[in-house]
Amino acid sequence: MIFVGEGALLRRAVTHAATHGHPVDLVCSADPLDATAADAPHLAAADINAHAGTLARACTDGIVWSLNNRQIFREPLLRIDGLRILNIHNGLLPRHRGLPSVAVLFALLHGDTEYGATVHEVEAGIDTGPVVAERRFPVGPEDRYHQVMLRGIRACHALFEQILPAVAAGTAHPARAAAAEPSAYYGLRALDRLGAYRDHPAYARATDLGPFAAHAHELTRALLRLSSPASAPGGPPAPGALRRPADAGAATRLVCGADGTG
């Protein structure tokens, strides 16, 4: 199997697969250390699609994992016969498609009472492929951004460990089509709507990034712009962008340079 992505989530998945006897044929990431635990070849690819032939030749079991991966798989990679690409997504699909760093924020602003992680097959659309499995957890009325994001990352890792044996055995099949439920997409353009929520009752906890302020760069910049005097004279600053909660150390170790998983 091949792994594509970055950060601690990718590295933990590679380590778990290798230690449980699964073949790790190639690790595609920015950091060669991600492949060390599996003693596997490493490929640093700015565009994974430019290496479709390499992935096809390297993969011995036809399985490609995408974890904490912001690259979009395109043709001809998606057309390779015998290759199954599975993405571990931080969020429930199709409700929380797009960037987890943005989806968590709007999940809190919209009053979602559940969040979680999803594994789905990758197709041409973004986070639109058939859902194979998911892992849900409740979101309470006082939960803050950094808490939900951290639980989402933990759910991603737990879901990978849960589904790995069935995927390797070829018995993990789509549970439902992603289009069966209401869909919403949260990309960087969604941040343009953030100013309309400054007076929302959940704004303070939805923007309490904690340690993720150092990793969700686009979101941090958007909150800083909103908190500037020029954007909101006399208004309160965005409260979460610079706050560092008690569980910051655990979150930073899990994130390790990334804001979630795609």
Side-chain angles (χ1 to χ4, degrees):
M1 54 186 63
I2 292 174
F3 291 80
V4 181
E6 62 180 27
L9 193 61
L10 173 76
R11 193 173 300 187
R12 289 177 182 219
V14 169
T15 301
H16 179 83
T19 56
H20 285 75
H22 298 284
V24 179
D25 303 309
L26 182 66
V27 177
C28 305
S29 70
D31 189 349
L33 292 177
D34 293 334
T36 302
D39 193 23
H42 177 265
L43 173 66
D47 179 8
I48 194 65
N49 301 286
H51 301 273
T54 299
L55 269 65
R57 290 188 295 270
C59 197
T60 59
D61 58 5
I63 300 169
V64 177
W65 290 101
S66 169
L67 298 108
N68 197 27
N69 173 39
R70 292 184 69 162
Q71 295 197 55
I72 298 174
F73 293 94
R74 304 187 187 280
E75 306 287 354
L77 188 53
L78 293 175
R79 286 190 288 107
I80 297 177
D81 289 335
L83 210 61
R84 187 186 193 191
I85 306 174
L86 295 166
N87 180 51
I88 303 287
H89 179 76
N90 188 342
L92 297 175
L93 295 178
R95 186 184 304 175
H96 306 129
R97 294 171 52 229
L99 294 175
S101 57
V102 182
V104 168
L105 184 149
F106 281 97
L108 291 172
L109 290 174
H110 292 161
D112 288 4
T113 57
E114 279 190 313
Y115 201 75
T118 308
V119 57
H120 68 98
E121 295 182 344
V122 174
E123 57 180 24
I126 300 176
D127 299 330
T128 58
V131 170
V132 177
E134 62 183 18
R135 194 177 184 94
R136 295 173 178 253
F137 58 83
V139 176
E142 302 301 323
D143 285 345
R144 310 186 80 78
Y145 179 102
H146 63 85
Q147 295 169 324
V148 177
M149 178 61 83
L150 181 56
R151 291 177 202 151
I153 294 173
R154 287 172 172 161
C156 286
H157 184 65
L159 182 58
F160 171 79
E161 292 186 349
Q162 170 192 323
I163 199 69
L164 176 61
V167 170
T171 58
H173 304 295
R176 58 177 171 82
E181 296 184 3
S183 175
Y185 178 79
Y186 299 101
L188 294 180
R189 290 184 180 179
L191 296 177
D192 295 338
R193 308 195 302 267
L194 193 53
Y197 291 87
R198 285 184 60 89
D199 296 326
H200 192 285
Y203 185 82
R205 63 189 184 92
T207 58
D208 186 358
L209 306 189
F212 295 97
H215 309 291
H217 302 296
E218 299 97 344
L219 181 50
T220 301
R221 286 194 292 268
L223 291 174
L224 289 174
R225 284 195 300 270
L226 284 174
S227 66
S228 68
S231 64
L242 302 179
R243 183 175 296 181
R244 185 176 178 83
D247 59 352
T252 302
R253 288 192 296 274
L254 272 174
V255 176
C256 194
D259 64 5
T261 187

